[in-house]
Amino acid sequence: MILEMKNIKKNFGSLEVLHDISFSVDNGEVISIIGPSGSGKSTLLRSATFLERIDSGSISYMDEEAVSTGEDGKAHYISKAELREVKNFFGLVFQQFNLFPHKTVFQNITEAPIIIQKRDKETVKKEAIELLRKMGLEDKKDSYPCQLSGGQQQRVAIARALAMKPDILFFDEPTSALDPELTIEVLKIIKSLAEEKMTMVIVTHEMNFARAVSNRVIFMDGGYIIEEGDPESVFGNPKMERTKQFLRSYEE
């Protein structure tokens, strides 16, 4: 098991946005998280990647517990140094790309593996060239993010995340900032990663894509997991009335 999250609770002030959420991710699984805006999908992803601190619950990567709940009922995180090690297990692709604007495409991809992971410079550079080829961007190596389309920027962001050799890749609405044509090219890349058995958790509003690419689909609403199952069950024969309503609204 790569990731296990148990009894996750998260509040923003008096508002509880994650209610006792538990789920796990096995090696090679592709999980899509769907649901209306404000349902807690992105907060769950940000909690899994330590961008948000949970209030209680536990988070483990590769059986290493990074967050646990003490007798005081509050979440306790391991030290910053230990957390840095755990962060090597995952990569995260944001909806707004988050590339360094003052660095070239090549620098965006190679900097973290060399500086943070302290890997061999020449090896990292060779791997970066290969990743750019895989993304269809080998001719954009020396370009800056502002010279690229949104779809190209997102593919660079995916290459940057893969350069860290993560065990699991998280995507937070990876196509929401893109027009339909650019969306297709990014989804094609994610689909090819799924075919290579890359472990992924994808928050998405692309229902057809989620149905085609996932091993498991989680439907969230109001900070709860309402329904979970294989794509054909969730999309083809949902059990919960709320899931049916949500999917109907997409078909209309």
Side-chain angles (χ1 to χ4, degrees), residues 41 73-74 83 103 124 140 156 180 191 220 231:
K41 310 182 297 294
K74 292 178 181 174
L83 214 50
K103 294 185 186 294
V124 169
K140 301 295 182 186
V156 173
K191 196 162 190 275
M220 286 183 70

Side-chain angles (χ1 to χ4, degrees), residues 241-252:
E241 188 53 41
R242 181 66 189 98
T243 317
K244 291 175 188 173
Q245 283 173 359
F246 173 75
L247 293 172
R248 267 200 303 271
S249 73
Y250 259 89
E251 287 161 12
E252 285 167 4

